[in-house]
Amino acid sequence: MSSKSHNHNHRKKKCKSKSRSQSVVSDQFMNDYRDASVTNFDDGEEIFAIKTSKIMGRYMVATRELRPGNIILSEMPIVVGPCTGCKVQCLACYQPIEESGSYAKCKGCDWPLCSANCAKLGTQFGHTKAECTILRDCKSYRFLDYRNFSKLKENFYCIVPLRCLMLKRTDPKSYEILMKMEHHNEIRKQLTDVWTTNQTMIVNRIISDWQMKEFSEDDVHRICGILEVNAFEIGHLGVNIRGLYPTAFLMSHNCIPNTNHNDDEDDFKLTVRASTSISINQPITLSYAYTLQSTLKRREHLLENKFFHCMCARCRDPTECGTFAGALRCPKCPDGYVLALEPLSPESDWKCNNINGCPGYKITAKSMELLINRISREIDALDSNDLKGLEAILSKYRNVLHPTHYLFLEIKLNLSQLYGKINGYLIHELDDEQLQRKMDICKEIIRIFDVIEPGFTRLRGVTLYELHAPVLVLTTRQFERQLLNKTQLRYRIKEVIRYLEEARIVLGYEPRNSPEGIMGVAAEDALDRMREWGKVVGRI
């Protein structure tokens, strides 16, 4: 995962007008799916190549035309294990362990396990015999205080760095791949907090406390940098870990990525698919930052965690490609939005873009930061299931933030699933106005993500599945009240079918037992029922 400064000239996705039904599924989607019906190439031709530039370092480009859904690569990890700052967890299967709950201790090294018979004990990507021996011989158990889980969890900082260092002995070829990954130690040394934390929690623990003198401080710091720059967050069903992969790290960053990926819940195999069409010689990209956030937040994260300044088209555009994810409403005119004058500068002033209709409004970067932080704290203080509270925030700040500001989008993403899910708001309990509200929120989310995370993406599949339900319930009610004729009913049924078809396809790429995979199965079942209903309506 190269972390150089990026400045890709991707083709902009043009906005297309919606059909009269306001459907968010286009004919292009089904054409893309048919083109990608064979998702795994087996003709022996290369799918991608690795190029090098002074600006980007090594990066991956397509060597053939790729369609949404095409598999670009699928590979096993080199190493997996706990994230920094994780909770106490089983060293074999990584399930969290509570201080008040039941757990076991490894008979060899005394480290925590979910049980003495954990299925992942002794497996390649769990707690291996070699690791157990090393942790026992270095007497690491002296620092495992089971009376204080807050102290106990600090030991987990060292597990993945140690596993990487062990490869020098146990798997030299994999270790050689690791040594070719970027570590940015020169930059990281200047970031006192990062370097000091690694020195205290990892370097000193491994070399001084555990007395592993065969490793130098430079060795351990280099591994820390490699992990920070190149590791993928992986895991399912309560397991949150990280992994290094031999090829996937070469994908470059873009704030509008053209791929998506998932990992297998059993062996952590990573599969990367094209989410959009990718042309020959076009960079194959993913986003190292949360795409839903604003430019300020994304670039701050990338600098602090990946050690580079992003210069992509979205970051350079004050409107963020028309999504206005960081914009405010102007308090001095009805039609203006307050945008950064220099979006690549965190110190930039922000000014109303309504040049002719506004008397003039400008705020400083500091004032913007204080405002967003204050609203963020207010949102964070809410229970994530507090539907009324979330709606109240949207109402309270409707004249402050742009309707698609990232803070509003995060709330709406939550609301799109709360409506129809929680007690008092189950789908059959929603009145017509609430059903329409759920529909409108889902369509707005999809419209924005068609720009910032386009194509065959997990979030699009989930939101389309959420969208089909209110459309179906509202259609049924209106037909029972004789507010729809047979032609209108057929049209609505086709609309629901199209939502379910796309949701089934996109979520069908997810691991079967993941929440998204389960939703994909539900979409398939609902699709069968809708098709049967469509046949009945056709015979009326």
Side-chain angles (χ1 to χ4, degrees), residues 112 305 317 341 369 440 451 477 509 511:
N305 295 275
D317 182 356
L341 293 175
E369 180 184 16
D440 292 343
V451 178
R477 289 180 185 176
Y509 296 133

Side-chain angles (χ1 to χ4, degrees), residues 507-520:
L507 298 178
Y509 296 133
E510 298 299 315
R512 195 76 169 175
N513 292 326
S514 69
E516 296 84 4
I518 293 169
M519 189 177 286

Side-chain angles (χ1 to χ4, degrees), residues 53 56 72 195 197 225 260-261 313 344 403 437-438 513 525 533:
S53 77
M56 295 170 57
I72 296 171
W195 195 262
T197 298
N260 62 84
H261 60 272
L344 297 182
R437 175 65 173 156
K438 181 177 173 79
N513 292 326
D525 292 341
W533 191 27

Side-chain angles (χ1 to χ4, degrees), residues 346-388:
E347 306 300 323
S348 171
D349 287 339
W350 291 62
K351 187 177 180 181
C352 177
N353 67 345
N354 187 7
I355 299 173
N356 298 320
C358 182
Y361 180 75
K362 182 191 290 188
I363 62 170
T364 64
K366 186 63 178 178
S367 296
M368 172 65 81
E369 180 184 16
L370 291 171
L371 173 65
I372 298 305
N373 287 346
R374 179 168 60 81
I375 299 174
S376 295
R377 287 193 297 271
E378 196 170 338
I379 295 171
D380 291 342
L382 288 173
D383 186 293
S384 60
N385 288 327
D386 185 358
L387 187 149
K388 288 185 177 179

Side-chain angles (χ1 to χ4, degrees), residues 100-168:
S100 58
S102 62
Y103 58 89
K105 299 178 185 179
C106 176
K107 293 178 181 178
C109 63
D110 211 38
W111 277 68
L113 301 171
C114 62
S115 77
N117 300 313
C118 177
K120 298 295 183 180
L121 195 59
T123 60
Q124 180 183 2
F125 298 117
H127 182 41
T128 64
K129 290 182 180 180
E131 177 178 80
C132 183
T133 300
I134 288 175
L135 290 174
R136 180 198 65 203
D137 291 348
C138 75
K139 299 180 180 179
S140 64
Y141 55 81
R142 293 176 300 161
F143 302 91
L144 302 178
D145 185 358
Y146 283 91
R147 297 166 301 177
N148 185 344
F149 266 43
S150 293
K151 293 292 291 182
L152 179 61
K153 71 179 183 180
E154 292 177 359
N155 292 273
F156 285 83
Y157 276 79
C158 300
I159 291 299
V160 182
L162 177 61
R163 289 177 179 177
C164 290
L165 292 164
M166 285 170 55
L167 292 173
K168 191 171 186 178

Side-chain angles (χ1 to χ4, degrees), residues 177-432:
I177 293 172
L178 289 190
M179 291 298 100
K180 293 179 180 178
M181 295 182 184
E182 184 59 78
H183 52 78
H184 285 314
N185 271 5
E186 300 77 16
I187 299 173
R188 293 171 58 253
K189 282 180 182 178
Q190 309 305 314
L191 303 173
T192 308
D193 290 345
V194 172
W195 195 262
T196 301
T197 298
N198 286 334
Q199 182 71 41
T200 304
M201 306 299 290
I202 302 172
V203 178
N204 292 349
R205 179 60 53 92
I206 290 175
I207 296 176
S208 300
D209 295 344
W210 294 355
Q211 290 292 300
M212 294 186 179
K213 301 296 186 181
E214 67 265 39
F215 307 121
S216 69
E217 289 198 2
D218 286 344
D219 291 337
V220 183
H221 272 299
R222 181 170 184 169
I223 290 295
C224 290
I226 286 170
L227 285 164
E228 288 166 14
V229 173
N230 301 283
F232 284 77
E233 292 183 12
I234 56 175
H236 300 274
L237 303 176
V239 172
N240 295 296
I241 56 177
R242 53 181 171 163
L244 285 173
Y245 292 84
T247 311
F249 77 95
L250 290 164
M251 290 188 291
S252 54
H253 164 82
N254 195 284
C255 290
I256 302 180
N258 56 23
T259 69
N260 62 84
H261 60 272
N262 57 50
D263 60 283
D264 188 274
E265 57 194 305
D266 293 322
D267 59 11
F268 309 113
K269 186 177 186 179
L270 189 78
T271 299
V272 178
R273 286 184 172 86
S275 51
T276 66
S277 295
I278 304 176
S279 302
I280 294 174
N281 287 325
Q282 184 179 350
I284 295 172
T285 63
L286 78 167
S287 179
Y288 304 172
Y290 186 29
T291 56
L292 190 57
Q293 289 188 321
S294 67
T295 294
L296 269 179
K297 290 293 182 182
R298 291 193 317 278
R299 297 186 86 242
E300 179 182 24
H301 168 82
L302 292 169
L303 183 59
E304 291 180 357
N305 295 275
K306 300 300 179 181
F307 317 110
F308 71 92
H309 295 280
C310 183
M311 307 284 286
C312 74
R314 181 181 172 192
C315 286
R316 296 196 308 270
D317 182 356
T319 73
E320 299 199 38
C321 300
T323 63
F324 295 90
L328 306 181
R329 284 188 180 275
C330 180
K332 291 193 174 182
C333 71
D335 302 318
Y337 295 113
V338 183
L339 305 172
L341 293 175
E342 300 176 52
L344 297 182
S345 170
E347 306 300 323
S348 171
D349 287 339
W350 291 62
K351 187 177 180 181
C352 177
N353 67 345
N354 187 7
I355 299 173
N356 298 320
C358 182
Y361 180 75
K362 182 191 290 188
I363 62 170
T364 64
K366 186 63 178 178
S367 296
M368 172 65 81
E369 180 184 16
L370 291 171
L371 173 65
I372 298 305
N373 287 346
R374 179 168 60 81
I375 299 174
S376 295
R377 287 193 297 271
E378 196 170 338
I379 295 171
D380 291 342
L382 288 173
D383 186 293
S384 60
N385 288 327
D386 185 358
L387 187 149
K388 288 185 177 179
L390 293 171
E391 286 283 19
I393 290 287
L394 294 180
S395 177
K396 179 178 179 179
Y397 292 106
R398 67 185 183 278
N399 294 322
V400 178
L401 302 179
H402 189 282
T404 55
H405 190 280
Y406 82 93
L407 291 177
F408 274 7
L409 285 175
E410 288 177 343
I411 290 175
K412 291 174 181 178
L413 191 57
N414 200 3
L415 288 173
S416 72
Q417 298 178 40
L418 291 180
Y419 278 114
K421 174 184 174 184
I422 60 174
N423 289 333
Y425 294 91
L426 298 176
I427 196 69
H428 64 277
E429 297 174 329
L430 300 180
D431 59 32
D432 290 2

